[in-house]
Amino acid sequence: MSGERRQLERPLTHVYDAAYTGVPNWDIGRPQRAFVQLLDAGLVRSPVLDVGCGTGELSLFLARRGHDVLGIDLSRLAIGQATEKARWRRIPARFLVWDALQLSGLRTADLSFRTVVDCAMFHVLGDRERDRFISGLGDVVETGGLYCVLGDARYDQREIYGLSPEELRTRFGNAGGWEVVFDYRTVFERRWSSNPAYFIGVQRQ
């Protein structure tokens, strides 16, 4: 897949590379609690794709517990840090610089997934990007597979930032072949604060 590492010069690439020269506020050094609970509930099945994986804490957590995990992120700096963590911790997670809006390219490489985890990636996407991402999910998620997203609850309905269960029901409903199977309010933890959030699971039919 190394030859496929193109199309990564979206404007946000440089923004996130700059963020990862330090420790971003969203990088808390461990997985968010919602994903720990997801694992404890037995809802994570391999292979797993971690979209917008950052420095890899969620990927490493799942891989340490026996799951086959691929983490992808726009930021080469974040992926480099995740790869180093995996090496030093001796955890067999894999990481790849890849644009989550190009998931169909993973399918071209014969990759498909039973679980996709998304820790605060979807909630920063623009309107058209959200539909494009959902279309790509349809190419790589197996029948019965689960997409699980954690993101800030939308506080201003005039803005696209954040997410809501109603929005995901509408977008995935329009895409066809998906069903929201759980949603609940929780928090998204940051290093110095926390925000009201939603944790939502959508199953491929």
Side-chain angles (χ1 to χ4, degrees):
M1 285 183 292
S2 59
E4 298 286 343
R5 297 182 189 183
R6 71 261 190 248
Q7 87 270 8
L8 296 179
E9 292 305 314
R10 285 203 286 138
L12 284 178
T13 304
H14 305 296
V15 172
Y16 285 118
D17 276 341
Y20 286 111
T21 59
V23 181
N25 192 30
W26 61 82
D27 191 340
I28 61 174
R30 56 177 171 79
Q32 295 280 334
R33 294 176 185 176
F35 291 104
V36 176
Q37 294 167 355
L38 186 77
L39 180 71
D40 289 345
L43 296 178
V44 178
R45 298 183 298 163
S46 294
V48 179
L49 176 65
D50 182 2
V51 294
C53 67
T55 65
E57 288 297 338
L58 177 54
S59 294
L60 294 167
F61 168 74
L62 296 175
R64 184 185 289 120
R65 283 153 181 79
H67 288 285
D68 176 13
V69 184
L70 172 65
I72 63 171
D73 200 282
L74 274 176
S75 171
R76 293 182 183 276
L77 188 56
I79 290 297
Q81 293 175 22
T83 301
E84 280 298 295
K85 286 181 182 179
R87 184 170 69 87
W88 284 107
R89 298 180 194 178
R90 298 182 180 180
I91 299 173
R94 297 170 294 144
F95 296 98
L96 179 66
V97 179
W98 197 269
D99 188 340
L101 299 185
Q102 301 286 345
L103 292 183
S104 59
L106 298 178
R107 185 63 177 180
T108 301
D110 293 326
L111 294 176
S112 61
F113 304 91
R114 299 176 75 190
T115 309
V116 177
V117 291
D118 177 345
C119 185
M121 192 278 296
F122 186 91
H123 79 175
V124 302
L125 295 179
D127 182 44
R128 293 183 180 179
E129 290 177 326
R130 293 178 183 217
D131 290 334
R132 185 176 171 189
F133 172 68
I134 290 170
S135 177
L137 279 177
D139 289 334
V140 298
V141 177
E142 300 175 6
T143 300
L146 195 61
Y147 166 64
C148 302
V149 56
L150 175 70
D152 287 337
R154 181 174 292 123
Y155 61 88
D156 186 343
Q157 298 305 315
R158 297 169 297 179
E159 301 292 335
I160 189 63
Y161 178 82
L163 55 83
S164 71
E166 295 77 17
E167 177 195 6
L168 265 68
R169 284 192 175 88
T170 298
R171 289 187 186 274
F172 279 94
N174 290 341
W178 295 90
E179 180 185 3
V180 173
V181 291
F182 68 78
D183 68 84
Y184 61 88
R185 289 188 70 95
T186 181
V187 295
F188 179 73
E189 298 175 88
R190 291 174 168 82
R191 295 178 66 84
W192 314 116
S193 63
S194 63
N195 281 46
Y198 283 108
F199 192 46
I200 303 171
V202 192
Q203 188 171 49
R204 187 83 165 118
Q205 302 300 300

